[in-house]
Amino acid sequence: MSYHPVSGAEQRSANFCYRHPNRQSFILCQRCGRTICPECQTQAAVGVICPECMREQRASAPRTKPAILTRVAGEGKPVVTYSIIALCVFLYILQWIPGLGVTNALIYAPAFSDPNSPYSDVSFQPWRMITATFLHSTGFIFHLLLNMYMLWIFGRILETLLGRGRYLALYLLSGLGGSVAVMLLAPVDQFVLGASGAIFGLVGAFVVIQHRMGGNMTQLLVLVGINLVIGFIPNLNIAWQAHVGGLMVGALIGYIYLETRTPSNKRIQILGVSAVAVVLLLISFSKALF
């Protein structure tokens, strides 16, 4: 092995900061081994590193969202459920303000789906099939409270389980399914409002998923049965049609989600849910198209 003695000048230069040659130091960068002065030192997990190595380390580090963005985005939180509850409560407050006419502007009746409605003061406004699902009766506050409680229970579970996009599609299509059932089965002049159809859709999807996963179904089926039966009691002014329609659509979409839950079936899942949406829309516009 050959040996090359180090001169005194080289030894002295090695004891000075490579960025500040006039500053003596005996601290080395743990990554590259160069001498660095206190100003150039950045504390690492073990020892210190120089500015260049620090830049390389930051450049190669995995990208993460700033904490403020994570809090705003609400990662891991059922923000869709919270948003729907907030919207329903907000509209309920607006419904109480005289002169705004929020209820009359957004409520639904089958007559609004018929361009040839026998009522001269009713025009073709099919979007009410969705808007009505965010309204509630101002004469019975428990209508709002019960629906929001049910949404709080099932919405948080399903949103966490399905993800926000799938969950929102389930909610909206279930609400539309409830309105379609009202259009087909209720009198043309029967006005309906409330999130019950959409919430029954969530329950329907949850029942399907629970059944396949082997969960205890007894209490859940009793709850669904009681709520369905209540809708058929005379003089309660409950649109049982929306309950049945929402439940059926929700159960169907839940089944599609369940059978196509693997990443390889994502395209089939999208096509399946899209097919349900197209069928509901065709039925919604059937009186205008045919």
Side-chain angles (χ1 to χ4, degrees):
M1 177 182 296
S2 62
Y3 173 75
H4 300 281
V6 179
S7 66
E10 290 176 336
Q11 188 174 8
R12 286 193 299 272
S13 64
N15 294 332
F16 287 83
C17 177
Y18 78 97
R19 300 178 76 238
H20 303 95
N22 61 332
R23 299 180 185 177
Q24 188 175 24
S25 176
F26 299 95
I27 303 299
L28 304 180
C29 172
Q30 68 164 352
R31 295 188 65 181
C32 67
R34 291 180 290 189
T35 303
I36 47 178
C37 66
E39 183 181 334
C40 300
Q41 298 170 11
T42 300
Q43 190 66 42
V46 179
V48 294
I49 58 177
C50 66
E52 280 74 10
C53 291
M54 187 63 193
R55 279 194 292 270
E56 292 177 4
Q57 180 174 306
R58 288 174 176 170
S60 61
R63 300 288 182 180
T64 58
K65 293 182 180 179
I68 182 64
L69 294 182
T70 301
R71 287 194 294 269
V72 171
E75 290 189 0
K77 297 181 180 179
V79 294
V80 176
T81 298
Y82 295 158
S83 299
I84 294 173
I85 292 175
L87 178 59
C88 290
V89 173
F90 177 68
L91 289 176
Y92 186 76
I93 295 173
L94 294 183
Q95 287 179 258
W96 278 96
I97 300 178
L100 287 184
V102 172
T103 302
N104 290 335
L106 302 179
I107 199 172
Y108 175 70
F112 288 109
S113 295
D114 188 356
N116 303 312
S117 172
Y119 300 93
S120 58
D121 59 337
V122 174
S123 58
F124 182 59
Q125 300 177 24
W127 58 85
R128 289 174 178 259
M129 301 179 85
I130 290 294
T131 60
T133 63
F134 296 97
L135 299 179
H136 289 84
S137 172
T138 55
F140 188 58
I141 191 172
F142 287 102
H143 184 212
L144 172 70
L145 295 179
L146 179 60
N147 278 345
M148 294 304 98
Y149 177 67
M150 293 282 289
L151 179 57
W152 174 265
I153 294 175
F154 292 100
R156 292 184 301 163
I157 297 174
L158 285 170
E159 185 174 349
T160 302
L161 185 65
L162 300 175
R164 293 170 185 168
R166 295 184 185 90
Y167 170 74
L168 181 60
L170 169 64
Y171 186 89
L172 293 177
L173 290 178
S174 296
L176 179 59
S179 295
V180 166
V182 170
M183 183 192 80
L184 296 176
L185 302 174
V188 68
D189 59 346
Q190 179 176 322
F191 287 87
V192 296
L193 76 176
S196 301
I199 293 172
F200 263 82
L202 300 185
V203 175
F206 188 74
V207 168
V208 170
I209 294 172
Q210 275 284 91
H211 176 69
R212 178 60 63 88
M213 297 302 178
N216 188 346
M217 301 290 297
T218 304
Q219 294 182 350
L220 184 57
L221 290 175
V222 170
L223 176 64
V224 173
I226 291 175
N227 279 275
L228 282 175
V229 170
I230 290 176
F232 289 93
I233 298 177
N235 301 321
L236 287 184
N237 296 323
I238 296 177
W240 61 265
Q241 301 91 341
H243 293 182
V244 173
L247 183 68
M248 292 176 62
V249 171
L252 176 59
I253 295 177
Y255 178 78
I256 293 173
Y257 285 159
L258 191 62
E259 294 299 321
T260 60
R261 60 186 181 274
T262 59
S264 60
N265 288 327
K266 183 177 180 180
R267 181 174 296 181
I268 299 176
Q269 182 179 104
I270 294 174
L271 290 174
V273 176
S274 299
V276 174
V278 169
V279 170
L280 290 176
L281 289 174
L282 286 176
I283 297 175
S284 302
F285 288 90
S286 59
K287 294 183 179 179
L289 296 174
F290 308 105

